[in-house]
Amino acid sequence: MNKFKGWKEVFSFDYRQTVKNKSYIIITFLICLLTIGAGIAIAIGVTSASEKEDPDDGPEYSIVEYVCVAENKEFENVDFQAVLDSSGQYFEGIEVAYVEADDEIELAKLVNEDHYTMGVMIVKKADGSGYDIRAVLSSNSAVESTDALEIVNLFVGAVNAQIVDNSGVSPEVAYELTKPVVTSIRMDGEEPNPIASIIKYILPAVFGLVLYFMLLFYGQNVSKAVSTEKTSKLVETLLTSVHPYALLTGKIFANVAAAMLQCLIWIAGIMAGLFIGSTLADGMYPDAQMSLSIGIEFLRANIGESALSPVAFVISLLTFACGFLFYSVLSGVTGSFANRPEEAQNTQGLFVFPIVISWILCYIATLTEQDALLTVLRLVPFTVPFC
């Protein structure tokens, strides 16, 4: 006997019953409206901030006067002065000096004591996979971070060329060799970007809460349905045509499908809001950079190069779906332990406890930047959805 025969019929019935429920429709619609509004507000806000930071009439010359570069034997052949002199009128007149500094703190001290406008340091990563190019601005500098970033990007090109020359490889593989080089800018004593902090610390907590409440709501639905049918005449009728395995499988998959439909609608809502907001922002600030491109660049600078890429989106969605399925199965199993609906609440502790612990572990690992712990948590079924 095929123990799973008939699960599709159970899935079809439960799925239709769930998505046709008035509370399901109302909640989905209201949150979709909120996501559209949030997308519009984000797009307009990002473009507005960019317009304020980048006025139409910029200076003809950079206000950077003196740049000190920490000496590095691997790049002693790079002429950073020549790089600036040949980069155009905007950077004419900037003087480059070479200093000895072992770390970023020592470089910041030299910048302030010797009245340099900014300092630049090339640091090899601990794992040997590439280099970081770091810049420090003096604490009383009037230079914008964007202006300093342009100078650092010029230096990146020179560093990349030197890496290729040292490797002796063909130009075809030059990109792969230079890919690990990244840049970072900070003001000496400057606080972290508040928006970047929100992305890094607050959004994981919000996502964890949303996932927790969704798992709790849908998990209880499965658990209560299983325990209720065990004490009703309905289960006797159902078991004459389907096996308990098929009954539980159909209910779990219907539960997951309804939840994923909601998530996809909400994702579509925020994407629609971003596009609508981008269109409105482009009309309000015609001289500003495209708001969507600004937002994507910001996310990639603070999260990683894969932010909002199609591959990352698909992997995240599949991971979320598999994690939701895993916890729905766990909820169905714990619900089967209850002989009466009244006992279902007691067995829910077996389902809720792993959710809470997994969320806390993943959030703490993210907050404290414990990459090794996050790597382990990504391999554990309980914690994968929260990573």
Side-chain angles (χ1 to χ4, degrees):
M1 175 185 176
N2 185 358
K3 295 180 180 180
F4 292 95
K5 183 179 179 181
W7 75 269
K8 292 181 181 179
E9 288 75 13
V10 177
F11 166 83
S12 178
F13 176 79
D14 276 57
Y15 178 75
R16 289 197 304 269
Q17 290 296 109
T18 301
V19 298
K20 289 181 179 179
N21 189 286
K22 287 185 178 180
S23 61
Y24 178 92
I25 295 173
I26 292 172
I27 291 173
T28 304
F29 178 73
L30 290 178
I31 295 182
C32 184
L33 288 180
L34 289 176
T35 57
I36 291 173
I40 293 173
I42 290 171
I44 294 177
V46 169
T47 307
S48 174
S50 174
E51 176 74 5
K52 292 177 181 178
E53 291 177 2
D54 300 316
D56 295 335
D57 299 323
E60 208 171 323
Y61 294 92
S62 171
I63 62 173
V64 176
E65 296 179 354
Y66 303 102
V67 177
C68 63
V69 178
E71 293 181 345
N72 188 309
K73 292 183 179 180
E74 294 185 58
F75 301 99
E76 59 185 0
N77 294 328
V78 179
D79 190 345
F80 293 104
Q81 182 69 64
V83 171
L84 291 177
D85 292 341
S86 61
S87 59
Q89 177 183 351
Y90 186 74
F91 296 105
E92 286 183 3
I94 299 177
E95 296 183 16
V96 176
Y98 295 89
V99 297
E100 293 184 3
D102 295 328
D103 51 39
E104 201 172 348
I105 297 176
E106 189 173 342
L107 180 63
K109 185 178 179 181
L110 289 172
V111 168
N112 285 303
E113 289 181 351
D114 298 337
H115 305 293
Y116 291 107
T117 312
M118 61 179 288
V120 178
M121 172 176 286
I122 306 170
V123 181
K124 191 168 186 177
K125 291 184 178 181
D127 58 3
S129 60
Y131 298 87
D132 286 339
I133 298 184
R134 302 171 183 172
V136 177
L137 299 177
S138 65
S139 56
N140 58 354
S141 174
V143 178
E144 296 287 343
S145 295
T146 52
D147 204 13
L149 184 59
E150 289 186 38
I151 294 176
V152 175
N153 284 335
L154 292 174
F155 288 176
V156 168
V159 169
N160 288 346
Q162 185 64 47
I163 292 175
V164 173
D165 289 342
N166 291 342
S167 65
V169 299
S170 62
E172 287 74 15
V173 297
Y175 174 74
E176 293 301 323
L177 289 174
T178 58
K179 190 176 180 180
V181 178
V182 297
T183 61
S184 60
I185 301 286
R186 75 170 180 86
M187 294 290 290
D188 183 35
E190 180 186 33
E191 293 297 322
N193 189 311
I195 300 178
S197 298
I198 289 174
I199 292 174
K200 191 172 183 179
Y201 302 117
I202 298 179
L203 284 187
V206 173
F207 172 78
L209 281 173
V210 171
L211 181 56
Y212 167 76
F213 284 115
M214 287 187 69
L215 288 171
L216 195 63
F217 175 75
Y218 283 101
Q220 285 180 342
N221 283 349
V222 173
S223 181
K224 288 180 180 178
V226 172
S227 60
T228 298
E229 289 177 358
K230 285 177 67 175
T231 58
S232 68
K233 296 291 183 180
L234 177 61
V235 73
E236 297 176 2
T237 305
L238 288 172
L239 292 180
T240 60
S241 57
V242 296
H243 192 275
Y245 286 2
L247 176 64
L248 193 57
T249 300
K251 288 185 174 296
I252 289 173
F253 276 105
N255 195 58
V256 175
M260 292 306 300
L261 177 62
Q262 269 190 331
C263 289
L264 289 173
I265 291 174
W266 295 340
I267 291 171
I270 196 167
M271 294 303 296
L274 287 172
F275 279 107
I276 294 171
S278 177
T279 303
L280 294 174
D282 292 338
M284 296 167 62
Y285 307 100
D287 297 327
Q289 190 180 355
M290 290 288 289
S291 53
L292 278 180
S293 62
I294 296 172
I296 292 173
E297 288 175 7
F298 181 83
L299 287 174
R300 288 179 174 173
N302 289 278
I303 296 177
E305 288 298 321
S306 64
L308 296 183
S309 69
V311 174
F313 177 79
V314 171
I315 291 175
S316 299
L317 199 61
L318 288 175
T319 303
F320 178 80
C322 292
F324 208 95
L325 176 62
F326 172 80
Y327 275 107
S328 294
V329 172
L330 182 62
S331 176
V333 172
T334 56
S336 65
F337 293 155
N339 294 320
R340 297 188 302 273
E342 295 78 14
E343 297 177 1
Q345 191 67 32
N346 297 330
T347 61
Q348 277 296 293
L350 298 173
F351 166 68
V352 175
F353 185 72
I355 298 176
V356 175
I357 297 300
S358 298
W359 172 45
I360 291 175
L361 279 175
C362 292
Y363 181 65
I364 291 177
T366 302
L367 197 67
T368 56
E369 299 182 351
Q370 297 293 328
D371 294 337
L373 178 58
L374 280 172
T375 301
V376 174
L377 294 177
R378 290 190 182 101
L379 302 175
V380 180
F382 289 95
T383 54
V384 166
F386 295 93
C387 289

